[in-house]
């Protein structure tokens, strides 16, 4: 596939050769609108381009404005421009940009709207892909009036929505060359061309029943509340498993230490018992001595 800039340069050479070979001279505007990918453009009248009032402010937006305007009007270029191919390509790009901005203004006039209506009726701008629009013809539309911000889109007046052009060759056309208000201006001037809104609307169904607008929201809330206990249950199970593994690791040393502690406890108990028995023997001897002394005291009476 030939790149677009290279294709335009090839067509430019073909245009020059056709000028030399044929008696009928092809204007730059006709040549530009006949390029592949420029089907959305209409031919701007030369009188409109020559009127300086219609070009107010464009000299500040377009580089090489004077040379670009001369190229659009098929005026003879300077010798330096013909000898310098780089400068010639820059002037060609400036001419395309200048013509696009002029075109955006021209299609808002009565003559421009009339030309675009002819292309609209023949379906040159494509048809709406929506089923219930029933192949409604569309119009070109820009999402911005500033060049370089967005490519051209197609507007369906039936469903009032914007689509990307079907053909990829229109994906490189600047949307500013058609403006953000062209379709609305066309239907303001010619309301008879505005189609009615589609009667049929798509209704989602499940097993033949209509799906309520809040059904998805309710189902989402139910799914969230159902998944939360399951997550909590899984977290509890995982924590219990971790605790069991930790306890199993701790039990082994506690059994050995426990046996040792039991042994020490028995030893301490025996020692305390022996000490308590030893402590009790002198107390018993003292009691016996007291009894004997009591008897001796009673005997002299």
């Amino acid at each position: 596939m030939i790149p677009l800039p290279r294709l335009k340069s090839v067509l430019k050479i073909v245009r020059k050769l056709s000028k030399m070979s044929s008696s009928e001279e092809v204007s730059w505007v006709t040549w530009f609108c006949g390029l592949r990918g420029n089907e959305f453009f209409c031919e701007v009248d030369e009188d409109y381009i020559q009127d300086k009032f219609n070009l107010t402010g464009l000299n500040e937006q377009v580089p090489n404005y004077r040379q670009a305007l001369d190229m659009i009007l098929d005026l003879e270029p300077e010798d330096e421009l013909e000898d310098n191919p780089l400068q010639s390509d820059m002037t060609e790009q400036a001419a395309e940009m200048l013509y696009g901005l002029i075109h955006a203004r021209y299609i808002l006039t009565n003559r421009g709207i009339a030309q675009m209506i002819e292309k609209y009726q023949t379906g040159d701008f494509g048809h709406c892909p929506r089923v219930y629009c029933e192949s409604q013809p569309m119009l070109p539309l820009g999402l911005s009036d500033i060049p370089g911000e967005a490519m051209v889109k197609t507007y369906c007046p039936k469903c009032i929505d914007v689509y990307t052009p079907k053909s990829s060759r229109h994906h490189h056309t600047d949307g500013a060359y058609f403006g953000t208000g062209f379709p609305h201006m066309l239907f303001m001037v010619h309301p008879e061309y505005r189609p009615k809104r589609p009667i049929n609307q798509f209704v989602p169904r499940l097993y033949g029943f209509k799906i309520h607008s809040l059904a998805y929201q309710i189902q989402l809330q139910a799914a969230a509340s159902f998944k939360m206990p399951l997550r909590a249950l899984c977290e509890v199970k995982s924590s219990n498993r971790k605790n069991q593994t930790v306890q199993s690791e701790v039990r082994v040393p506690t059994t050995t230490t426990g046996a040792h502690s039991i042994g020490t406890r028995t030893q301490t108990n025996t020692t305390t018992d022996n000490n308590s028995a030893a402590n009790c023997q002198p107390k018993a001897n003292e009691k016996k001595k007291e009894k004997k002394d009591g008897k001796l005291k009673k005997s002299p009476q």
Side-chain angles (χ1 to χ4, degrees), residues 113-178:
I113 289 174
Q115 293 183 29
M116 296 296 276
I117 284 176
E118 292 180 2
K119 298 172 75 66
Y120 168 66
Q121 290 177 333
T122 55
D124 291 351
F125 307 123
H127 299 84
C128 183
R130 189 173 177 273
V131 174
Y132 292 110
C133 286
E134 299 175 348
S135 299
Q136 168 66 38
M138 294 190 291
L139 290 166
L141 175 73
L143 300 180
S144 175
D145 293 318
I146 301 173
E149 286 196 353
M151 298 297 105
V152 66
K153 307 298 178 185
T154 49
Y155 170 80
C156 175
K158 202 167 189 178
C159 63
I160 313 179
D161 210 344
V162 180
Y163 300 90
T164 301
K166 184 178 180 180
S167 179
S168 60
R169 64 175 179 267
H170 299 131
H171 294 174
H172 304 285
T173 304
D174 202 318
Y177 299 161
F178 300 89

Side-chain angles (χ1 to χ4, degrees), residues 9-61:
S9 61
V10 171
L11 292 173
K12 183 181 176 182
I13 297 172
V14 172
R15 174 172 166 260
K16 289 182 178 179
L17 292 174
S18 64
K19 277 186 178 182
M20 296 171 62
S21 60
S22 62
S23 58
E24 294 182 0
E25 186 174 325
V26 179
S27 65
W28 186 94
V29 174
T30 304
W31 167 80
F32 177 77
C33 294
L35 290 177
R36 180 179 173 84
N38 291 349
E39 293 86 359
F40 287 1
F41 289 93
C42 69
E43 295 188 15
V44 180
D45 292 341
E46 187 174 348
D47 297 338
Y48 184 87
I49 300 173
Q50 290 178 348
D51 190 345
K52 292 183 179 181
F53 177 78
N54 298 327
L55 310 182
T56 304
L58 295 181
N59 58 341
E60 299 176 357
Q61 300 183 44

Side-chain angles (χ1 to χ4, degrees), residues 43-100:
E43 295 188 15
V44 180
D45 292 341
E46 187 174 348
D47 297 338
Y48 184 87
I49 300 173
Q50 290 178 348
D51 190 345
K52 292 183 179 181
F53 177 78
N54 298 327
L55 310 182
T56 304
L58 295 181
N59 58 341
E60 299 176 357
Q61 300 183 44
V62 181
N64 300 325
Y65 171 79
R66 188 70 254 175
Q67 293 85 350
L69 183 60
D70 292 344
M71 182 175 287
I72 292 172
L73 295 174
D74 293 317
L75 299 178
E76 290 295 330
E78 298 178 359
D79 296 336
E80 296 179 357
L81 188 62
E82 290 184 346
D83 296 337
N84 191 351
L86 180 61
Q87 186 67 24
S88 178
D89 292 338
M90 292 176 62
T91 305
E92 186 76 28
Q93 293 177 3
E96 293 176 8
M97 182 179 180
L98 178 59
Y99 183 80

